[in-house]
């Protein structure tokens, strides 16, 4: 008998261990771009508030404080990238920090919802009680804000449009064909929607102000404001739904589930339990129970799932199928 204090394994356990870094494939790039957009938005915000205070312009002041809410939301997105990267290998997080982006996206969506409510309320008030508008100044402010938002949207658009597919993980999968699902970085999507919402608001405002200035339809500006608030609310709802689903471990990838079952249920083996959820942009985890008349090592079943892009963490439990007693 070996001594009691002798370790069970004298050789390295590296082949059986793995990390839990489930960050998006473009995490660092997205983080840099988001921080740049935060800086750009903050400079614009400070400039508008300072100019509005210096020249006594309510239009500049209002737009400056409006941009402050977007700067705060973008700051949340950038901070989430930073925290997720710094704590990616922290063992306190059982499945890594890949979900911090979705938590930030959910918070940003709430802020977007509040902005939509604010715009709707102010538009209704102005529709009922019209106020005099300095058209030239208001159009100039909207055009300046539009320029900043278009630059910000361009910076975030490239990654947003192409950051659909994640990388597989070393155990349980490899970089192979995908069953057709996409994995969005909801944190980047939230930042993109914020600047897009502000850009859309600026475009609508310019159009409404030009119409009102030449036709004297003072109701055009608040009417367009109501339409814009409804569009923003719709975007916010979609973001709340998608990021909330990730936070609550909702399994929405039925195609991937079907592929997993198809690969594992061979030679009479049956999948009795399957949990599939997202642990980061482009990364899915799975816990699977298989019952078999002739059980094989779990590594054999994991190899059957090789090549599924985005399946990054797989745990498989194999049980012997109990046979009914013979009479």
């Amino acid at each position: 008998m070996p001594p009691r204090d002798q370790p069970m394994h004298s050789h390295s356990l590296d082949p059986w261990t793995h990390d839990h870094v489930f960050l998006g494939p473009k995490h660092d790039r997205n983080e840099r771009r988001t921080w740049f957009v935060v800086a750009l938005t903050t400079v614009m915000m400070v400039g508008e508030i300072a100019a509005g205070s210096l020249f006594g312009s309510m239009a500049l002041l209002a737009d400056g404080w409006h941009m402050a809410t977007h700067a705060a939301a973008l700051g949340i997105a950038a901070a989430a990238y930073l925290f997720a990267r710094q704590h990616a290998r922290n063992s306190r997080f059982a499945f890594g920090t890949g979900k911090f982006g979705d938590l930030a996206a959910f918070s940003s969506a709430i802020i977007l919802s509040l902005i939509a409510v604010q715009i709707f309320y102010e538009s209704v008030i102005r529709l009922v009680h019209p106020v005099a508008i300095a058209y030239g100044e208001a159009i100039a402010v909207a055009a300046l804000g539009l320029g900043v938002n278009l630059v910000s949207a361009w910076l975030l658009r490239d990654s947003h449009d192409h950051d659909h597919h994640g990388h597989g993980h070393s155990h349980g999968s490899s970089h192979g064909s995908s069953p057709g699902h996409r994995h969005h970085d909801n944190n980047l999507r939230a930042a993109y929607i914020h600047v897009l919402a502000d850009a859309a608001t600026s475009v609508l405002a310019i159009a409404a102000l030009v119409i009102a200035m030449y036709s004297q339809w003072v109701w055009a500006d608040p009417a367009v404001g109501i339409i814009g608030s409804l569009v923003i609310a719709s975007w916010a709802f979609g973001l709340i739904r998608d990021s909330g689903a990730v936070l609550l471990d909702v399994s929405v990838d039925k195609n991937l589930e079907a592929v997993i079952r198809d690969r594992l249920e061979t030679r009479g083996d049956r999948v009795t339990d399957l949990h599939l959820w997202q642990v980061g942009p482009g990364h899915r985890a799975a816990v699977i129970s298989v019952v078999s008349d002739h059980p094989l090592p779990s590594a054999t079943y994991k190899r059957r799932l090789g090549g599924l892009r985005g399946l990054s963490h797989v745990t498989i439990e194999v049980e012997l199928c109990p046979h009914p007693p013979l009479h």
Side-chain angles (χ1 to χ4, degrees):
M1 293 288 290
R4 217 179 257 271
D5 59 349
Q6 181 175 333
M8 293 182 61
H9 295 280
S10 59
H11 53 279
S12 173
L13 294 178
D14 289 345
W16 291 274
T17 60
H18 53 266
D19 59 37
H20 295 85
V21 179
F22 299 131
L23 305 181
K26 296 182 180 179
H27 185 94
D28 293 343
R29 179 189 184 188
N30 294 345
E31 180 183 351
R32 289 193 301 270
R33 292 192 174 202
T34 304
W35 278 119
F36 187 82
V37 171
V38 169
L40 188 62
T41 304
T42 301
V43 169
M44 178 68 185
M45 173 199 75
V46 172
E48 286 190 344
I49 293 175
S53 300
L54 183 63
F55 300 116
S57 169
M58 286 304 300
L60 280 171
L61 277 173
D63 197 61
W65 287 113
H66 174 71
M67 289 196 75
T69 60
H70 287 284
L74 291 167
I76 291 174
Y81 279 125
L82 176 64
F83 187 91
R85 175 172 53 82
Q86 290 182 337
H87 295 271
R89 300 183 185 277
N90 190 329
S91 60
R92 290 190 303 147
F93 300 99
F95 285 96
T97 56
K99 284 188 178 182
F100 270 94
D102 295 281
L103 181 60
F106 190 86
S107 302
S108 293
I110 298 298
I111 295 175
L112 266 176
S113 300
L114 296 176
I115 291 173
V117 171
Q118 178 190 16
I119 294 175
F120 184 88
Y121 174 77
E122 291 180 357
S123 297
V124 170
I125 294 298
R126 293 201 174 192
L127 195 61
V128 177
H129 303 289
V131 297
I133 301 174
Y135 292 109
E137 182 186 68
I139 291 173
V141 170
L144 183 60
L146 176 61
V148 171
N149 286 311
L150 288 177
V151 172
S152 300
W154 178 80
L155 286 170
L156 298 174
R157 177 201 59 82
D158 181 64
S159 295
H160 173 79
D161 285 348
H162 296 91
D163 192 15
H164 294 320
H165 298 290
H167 293 288
H169 200 56
S170 59
H171 61 289
S173 71
S174 62
H175 296 280
S177 59
S178 169
H181 51 280
R182 291 184 175 184
H183 306 282
H184 292 285
D185 183 337
N186 281 321
N187 193 29
L188 186 72
R189 179 183 166 200
Y192 180 74
I193 287 178
H194 267 284
V195 297
L196 194 64
D198 220 12
T201 302
S202 297
V203 170
L204 292 173
I206 292 172
L209 289 168
V210 170
I211 292 173
M213 181 171 62
Y214 287 103
S215 65
Q216 298 302 310
W217 293 347
V218 293
W219 52 265
D221 182 52
V224 169
I226 291 175
I227 295 173
S229 69
L230 295 177
V231 172
I232 294 172
S234 175
W235 290 344
F237 175 78
L239 190 56
I240 289 173
R241 178 195 60 212
D242 294 343
S243 59
V246 175
L247 295 174
L248 295 175
D249 295 330
V250 174
S251 179
V252 295
D253 201 336
K254 298 302 179 184
N255 290 334
L256 183 56
E257 285 187 11
V259 172
I260 290 173
R261 289 183 182 275
D262 183 64
R263 292 195 179 190
L264 295 181
E265 292 185 333
T266 62
R267 300 178 182 178
D269 295 346
R270 297 294 301 275
V271 173
T272 59
D273 199 17
L274 172 58
H275 298 277
L276 180 68
W277 71 99
Q278 184 170 321
V279 290
H283 296 283
R284 297 290 173 97
V287 175
I288 308 165
S289 293
V290 177
V291 63
S292 174
D293 290 324
H294 306 286
L296 299 172
S298 61
T300 301
Y301 295 94
K302 285 186 178 182
R303 282 195 293 270
R304 293 181 185 177
L305 301 180
L308 292 181
R309 186 188 298 272
L311 190 57
S312 305
H313 191 286
V314 181
T315 302
I316 297 182
E317 176 188 51
V318 186
E319 297 182 354
L320 174 65
C321 181
H323 294 282
L326 297 176
H327 295 287

